[in-house]
Amino acid sequence: MPNSGKTSVVGKVADEEVYLLDKIRPLQKFRSK
C-alpha cells in the first residue's frame, strides 16, 4: 500500500518473496536471514 503519511513503513517484501506472507500468522515470531 502506498504511504499516505498516516502509517509507518517498517520494511518491504521483495516481489519474489511475497508468497511467504501466506505462511505468517498474526503475532507469530519470525526471523530474517
Side-chain angles (χ1 to χ4, degrees):
M1 82 179 161
N3 186 347
S4 66
K6 295 182 180 182
T7 58
S8 296
V9 177
V10 296
K12 183 175 181 176
V13 178
D15 290 338
E16 61 272 8
E17 296 178 347
V18 168
Y19 73 94
L20 293 171
L21 295 177
D22 291 331
K23 301 183 182 292
I24 300 172
R25 293 184 304 275
L27 303 176
Q28 178 183 0
K29 294 180 181 180
F30 65 95
R31 183 172 61 174
S32 175
K33 290 186 177 183

